[in-house]
Amino acid sequence: MNIITLYGAAGSGSVPVEAAMTLIGLDYRVVEAPTWEGDVERDKVAAANPMRQIPTLVTPRGEIITESAAILIWLADSHPQARLAPGIDDPRRAQFLRWMCFIPASIYSMFWVRDVPSRLAGEDPAAQVEVQRRTAERVAECWRVMDEQIRPGRFLLGDDLSVLDLYVAVASRWTPRRARFYAEAPRMAEVVRRVDALPALQAFWAERFPFGADDA
């Protein structure tokens, strides 16, 4: 069976991967594993990924791919007919790779600290609150820097939707959430609203990451 297995969770970093597979039209199943809820959930992922993190993808051939950006790039490159990434000879390829790496390195990485501030702040409650405040400010700063350097068309790389758009549309909904994202990244704001409204993803968003007041 050519079914992809994805360890993930609603609202998590697996959502852009699921969105990409939905647009491509792949057969996949999700093993729901909200790892932030404790060891029982993390242990679901352990056999496929010793880091016990999501998303973790298992290909039909049994290959394991971790890290959202790596999975998204692999999906897009493996299914060029879907046109979800610039090809290797496309002049947009360098910027595609730049921003696909920027998001996990500069933004996504902040949530490892913010979600469990004791990892760096220890057990002092005041220090933990300060870490959460500073990581939110860092995320906002990174969105601002990206927005200042990118020149979107209908989508972030021009007129064609890519997995970069899916990645930003999901990550921008995490803390400090969309209101701050819209303020810091006005160029990208119009793009993520367009991704939110894609007819092909309306049922998907409703199931896997429903829109709420924080997304207005």
Side-chain angles (χ1 to χ4, degrees), residues 4-9 12-22 24 26 28-30 45 48-49 53-60 63-79 84-85 93 96-97 100-101 104 108 162-164 166-167:
I4 290 172
T5 297
L6 180 70
Y7 294 84
S12 77
S14 73
V15 170
V17 174
E18 296 172 48
M21 292 193 291
T22 298
I24 294 168
L26 298 179
Y28 69 93
R29 72 181 186 100
V30 176
V45 191
N49 181 357
Q53 296 174 340
I54 57 172
T56 294
L57 183 144
V58 183
T59 74
E63 297 171 301
I64 293 172
I65 310 174
T66 65
E67 317 309 323
S68 297
I71 297 170
L72 288 166
I73 293 169
W74 177 80
L75 284 169
D77 286 351
S78 298
H79 302 87
L84 288 178
R93 181 71 178 190
F96 169 72
L97 293 175
M100 285 298 294
C101 292
Y108 204 156
S162 76
V163 292
L164 177 62
L166 301 176
Y167 206 6

Side-chain angles (χ1 to χ4, degrees), residues 83-163:
R83 301 182 62 185
L84 288 178
I88 191 67
D89 295 325
D90 191 304
R92 299 170 298 170
R93 181 71 178 190
Q95 292 306 303
F96 169 72
L97 293 175
R98 174 191 182 186
W99 298 119
M100 285 298 294
C101 292
F102 177 82
I103 294 168
S106 299
I107 296 171
Y108 204 156
S109 60
M110 290 293 100
F111 294 98
W112 183 85
V113 180
R114 190 195 180 283
D115 290 348
V116 188
S118 61
R119 284 169 168 159
L120 293 185
E123 300 305 320
D124 180 4
Q128 292 180 15
V129 169
E130 182 63 10
V131 163
Q132 291 179 316
R133 185 191 70 80
R134 292 190 182 194
T135 51
E137 289 302 313
R138 172 63 176 172
V139 170
E141 177 188 17
C142 290
W143 286 132
R144 181 170 65 253
V145 167
M146 183 175 178
D147 194 70
E148 288 171 350
Q149 297 183 64
I150 203 164
R151 294 293 182 270
R154 277 182 49 78
F155 297 102
L156 293 177
L157 298 174
D159 290 333
D160 298 322
L161 176 73
S162 76
V163 292

